[in-house]
Amino acid sequence: MMNYLCKKTALRVFCAAAMSLFSLCSFAAPKFDQAPYGGLQISFVDVDYGWRSEEEASFTTALGRLGIHASERFAAEVRFGTGVTKDSVGYYNADDDVDLEIKYILGAYGLWHAHLVDLFSVYGLLGVTRAEAEASTSGGSLSEEETGFSSGFGAAFYFTDRVTINIEYISYINSSNSSTFDVDGLSGGLSMFF
């Protein structure tokens, strides 16, 4: 419950900051043809270990993004990030709680945009993500790496011809695709066109 409230509060703060920036900016849509961009994104990530854990672990991660708008409707990007917080959860057959952390998230994605108006678009996202999670107890630690198909959706707000703010949900890795854990996240970020 506490993790849910923290996420909800953080998302409200992000939205309030975005609206404040919105009121200060002069609006102009970017020129999308062959437009490279880069940015930072904060993601509130949940990791579900399935039968091995009694509960989901929740983390905050920071991700860098580099991409290019090949056209107005399609962009391709890579992301790399790491966990900035840890979590402790009960673990199957463990006497103590297990400390969990995200070591890294690395992915490549295609984004298909539908521009509803000049300054706003919604998009779908497909790609591949590789992630490493580490579990630690007093007896030692164990790392697991997984690669999986990723999908998600989001919205982008173009505040100037160079600055974009986005909000998205992404399922980074899904255990139904033979991985040992699920990773999904709610993200917000700021990008700039070069």
Side-chain angles (χ1 to χ4, degrees):
M1 183 65 174
M2 189 62 178
N3 285 333
Y4 173 76
L5 293 175
C6 290
K7 288 180 193 175
K8 196 169 183 181
T9 301
L11 192 56
R12 285 181 180 164
V13 169
F14 178 79
C15 289
M19 295 310 284
S20 298
L21 182 61
F22 185 80
S23 66
L24 297 174
C25 292
S26 59
F27 302 108
K31 294 176 177 45
F32 293 105
D33 192 25
Q34 301 296 315
Y37 61 91
L40 293 174
Q41 191 158 300
I42 299 296
S43 188
F44 304 102
V45 174
D46 289 326
V47 178
D48 184 353
Y49 280 86
W51 63 269
R52 296 176 299 164
S53 177
E54 300 168 3
E55 57 192 304
E56 286 187 346
S58 297
F59 309 94
T60 302
T61 62
L63 297 111
R65 306 169 62 195
L66 284 175
I68 186 165
H69 266 276
S71 69
E72 183 177 341
R73 298 207 178 273
F74 178 75
E77 68 179 53
V78 293
R79 300 180 186 181
F80 178 77
T82 187
V84 294
T85 63
K86 299 180 180 181
D87 197 6
S88 295
V89 297
Y91 207 67
Y92 178 74
N93 272 348
D95 296 329
D96 302 321
D97 282 352
V98 176
D99 295 326
L100 299 171
E101 65 179 306
I102 295 288
K103 301 302 283 184
Y104 72 83
I105 294 176
L106 174 65
Y109 312 100
L111 288 77
W112 287 266
H113 288 264
H115 293 270
L116 304 179
V117 294
D118 284 346
L119 304 172
F120 174 76
S121 71
V122 293
Y123 60 87
L125 177 152
L126 294 174
V128 176
T129 301
R130 184 163 183 83
E132 179 182 4
E134 183 176 85
S136 303
T137 65
S138 55
S141 63
L142 173 68
S143 293
E144 288 186 277
E145 290 182 308
E146 290 291 349
T147 302
F149 174 73
S150 307
S151 61
F153 57 89
F157 306 89
Y158 306 99
F159 288 109
T160 72
D161 60 350
R162 295 188 63 199
V163 178
T164 304
I165 288 180
N166 74 300
I167 298 172
E168 71 179 24
Y169 168 80
I170 181 170
S171 173
Y172 291 104
I173 296 174
N174 191 316
S175 63
S176 65
N177 297 326
S178 75
S179 68
T180 56
F181 52 84
D182 289 333
V183 183
D184 56 20
L186 181 64
S187 306
L190 177 71
S191 298
M192 292 190 68
F193 288 92
F194 301 135

